[in-house]
Amino acid sequence: MLVKTPPMGFNTWNTFGHNISDSVIRETADAMVDLGYLDAGYEYLVIDDCWSERDRDPATDKIVPDKNKFPNGMKSVSDYVHSKGLKFGMYSCAGVRTCANFPGSFNHEYLDAKTFAEYGCDFLKYDYCNRPDVMGRHLYYRMGMALKNCGRDILFSACNWGSDNVHEWIRSSGAHMYRSTGDIFDSFQSFSDIALSQLDKFGYSAPGCFNDIDMLTCGMYNKGNVATGGCTTEEYIIEFALWCMLGAPLMLGCDIRNQNEAMHKLLTNRELIRINQDPECRPAFVPSRSSQKDMVLCKYLENDEFALGFFNLTEHKCTMFSYFEDIGITNESGCKVELTDVFTGNKTISSEYHMEFIEGHTCRVYRCKLVH
Ligand code: GLA
């Protein structure tokens, strides 16, 4: 199986948009390794839209890399990325043109899959703009089959923004992750709406194919291609913790070459990443007495542990409870819960319930186990 836990990596779109180049990719590859992102699990470096010339090569019908942005071609970039121990990702679209109006792969699926394989590509994001009037899912079956027959293992990252009840059929296409929502923008409203919209869909996300709620905006601070106001550091902590608790793919979208210490610490937080990458891949659930604004999430983990997240999405300080009865720990069990804070390592023991009194737009996350 190519994908056993949620994929992790970096994608150019959120920060760079059109402004991608050979040097941006090489510098990002260096940063992924030198700053410890690869060690933390981020292995895919993905070039999003805008990497090619506006038209295919008339002689070969192939998509060709933009000569100014990538003067050495894609194979050379890919070789560099691989030389750093990373995996190399690219982008195309199920329609005739990509979302930014470059050539798409419609009716060129097999040729393009082969071209990506020649580049040494390990990951293909496959978008949904400018498609002809063909049943959407059919376009993903096509590219899924083309990738399976291109001679190389390529992670297939479908991106149809949740259209056509994608969660119901996308696993059949061979996709390994699938975008389930519209595009993320750099604001609290955007990431929280996106995460909340998928709370009831993570039952469809499992080894083999994961629900992708888009690239993270953590660390963007209102700079780059999807800036719409930005977030505070505390809000980015909520975003990252939500993605981790939900078991969503972790694709970084900030400029990782220039992050402050708090963001670097957050994005490489081993305990949060361990929750995200838990091999059992169990979907988190919202216990019955929690609401969407002051939300508790519980996720069962391997080794009889579980994670509890307290997300205060209101603007006000509030008291939040997790009643252990709601997550299956009855009074008659005689069990208490040991909670280890994933940010500080502090341990507490609670019985019957755990209470948090926390500021608006902040969260707490614990790794937990029962004690008798
Ligand atoms: C769509 C996708 C984005 C990004 C852009 C590129 O909007 O959802 O993630 O790939 O296209 O044009």
Side-chain angles (χ1 to χ4, degrees):
M1 189 190 295
L2 188 56
V3 177
K4 295 196 177 103
T5 56
M8 293 175 65
F10 165 87
N11 174 300
T12 53
W13 182 252
N14 281 1
T15 290
F16 298 102
H18 283 259
N19 300 318
I20 45 176
S21 65
D22 185 284
S23 58
V24 160
I25 303 306
R26 286 174 203 251
E27 284 171 24
T28 301
D30 292 347
M32 284 177 83
V33 176
D34 298 346
L35 304 178
Y37 290 99
L38 175 61
D39 281 346
Y42 300 95
E43 54 177 346
Y44 290 96
L45 197 175
V46 182
I47 302 179
D48 206 281
D49 206 351
C50 310
W51 61 271
S52 77
E53 291 287 343
R54 287 280 175 195
D55 293 301
R56 287 176 180 270
D57 177 345
T60 61
D61 215 18
K62 284 184 169 181
I63 308 187
V64 276
D66 183 306
K67 290 180 197 57
N68 295 316
K69 293 173 181 169
F70 297 103
N72 308 308
M74 300 321 287
K75 181 69 170 58
S76 153
V77 183
S78 159
D79 286 346
Y80 187 77
V81 168
H82 288 143
S83 77
K84 304 298 273 190
L86 296 159
K87 292 181 176 157
F88 180 61
M90 294 202 66
Y91 166 100
S92 188
C93 182
V96 286
R97 306 287 290 174
T98 71
C99 299
N101 197 26
F102 292 87
S105 290
F106 179 69
N107 268 351
H108 294 80
E109 291 86 356
Y110 285 75
L111 173 64
D112 290 355
K114 213 168 130 258
T115 308
F116 290 127
E118 282 163 15
Y119 291 157
C121 189
D122 307 298
F123 179 116
L124 180 70
K125 176 172 170 182
Y126 204 51
D127 220 331
Y128 202 46
C129 285
N130 304 308
R131 59 195 182 279
D133 199 11
V134 174
M135 197 162 65
R137 69 176 73 174
H138 199 70
L139 300 174
Y140 286 92
Y141 296 149
R142 283 187 184 199
M143 188 47 106
M145 190 62 89
L147 289 175
K148 283 192 185 305
N149 290 281
C150 73
R152 196 177 163 86
D153 278 342
I154 298 185
L155 189 161
F156 185 24
S157 166
C159 178
N160 87 338
W161 324 304
S163 315
D164 314 325
N165 292 325
V166 64
H167 54 280
E168 292 175 359
W169 52 267
I170 193 68
R171 295 181 78 85
S172 317
S173 74
H176 301 100
M177 57 196 261
Y178 67 98
R179 271 278 297 285
S180 52
T181 70
D183 287 12
I184 200 165
F185 289 92
D186 186 15
S187 73
F188 179 82
Q189 186 80 40
S190 173
F191 81 68
S192 53
D193 284 353
I194 281 180
L196 294 178
S197 78
Q198 291 301 305
L199 286 180
D200 60 344
K201 298 284 186 333
F202 275 92
Y204 297 90
S205 189
C209 183
F210 290 91
N211 183 344
D212 170 16
I213 49 176
D214 213 349
M215 287 89 72
L216 292 153
T217 56
C218 304
M220 295 193 68
Y221 294 104
N222 206 27
K223 292 207 187 87
N225 188 43
V226 298
T228 45
C231 296
T232 63
T233 297
E234 284 297 330
E235 290 171 339
Y236 288 136
I237 292 174
I238 293 191
E239 181 183 356
F240 191 67
L242 273 174
W243 265 234
C244 288
M245 284 294 297
L246 291 172
L250 298 177
M251 301 301 291
L252 303 173
C254 61
D255 185 347
I256 58 160
R257 300 170 303 177
N258 303 301
Q259 284 305 308
N260 64 36
E261 206 186 311
M263 269 314 106
H264 179 264
K265 217 166 138 192
L266 173 69
L267 300 174
T268 56
N269 181 307
R270 294 294 201 277
E271 284 301 310
L272 277 173
I273 292 174
R274 192 145 73 97
I275 291 170
N276 176 268
Q277 294 289 303
D278 188 80
E280 294 206 6
C281 300
R282 303 220 175 256
F285 65 96
V286 182
S288 48
R289 273 173 273 192
S290 166
S291 82
Q292 282 216 331
K293 279 289 181 186
D294 51 337
M295 181 177 69
V296 179
L297 279 176
C298 177
K299 177 176 165 66
Y300 294 143
L301 306 170
E302 67 172 353
N303 300 328
D304 307 324
E305 295 189 310
F306 58 99
L308 273 182
F310 296 79
F311 295 91
N312 181 358
L313 305 180
T314 76
E315 279 163 20
H316 314 287
K317 196 165 182 172
C318 77
T319 309
M320 302 179 65
F321 287 95
S322 168
Y323 297 98
F324 296 151
E325 181 97 39
D326 293 350
I327 55 173
I329 306 160
T330 58
N331 276 345
E332 61 82 30
S333 71
C335 292
K336 295 180 177 167
V337 175
E338 182 191 275
L339 302 94
T340 306
D341 186 315
V342 300
F343 299 106
T344 63
N346 291 343
K347 289 186 194 301
T348 41
I349 295 204
S350 299
S351 47
E352 289 183 50
Y353 64 86
H354 182 79
M355 188 184 79
E356 289 288 342
F357 184 48
I358 56 173
E359 298 294 334
H361 290 200
T362 66
C363 68
R364 299 280 183 280
V365 180
Y366 300 95
R367 192 174 183 95
C368 308
K369 62 178 183 203
L370 297 193
V371 285
H372 298 273

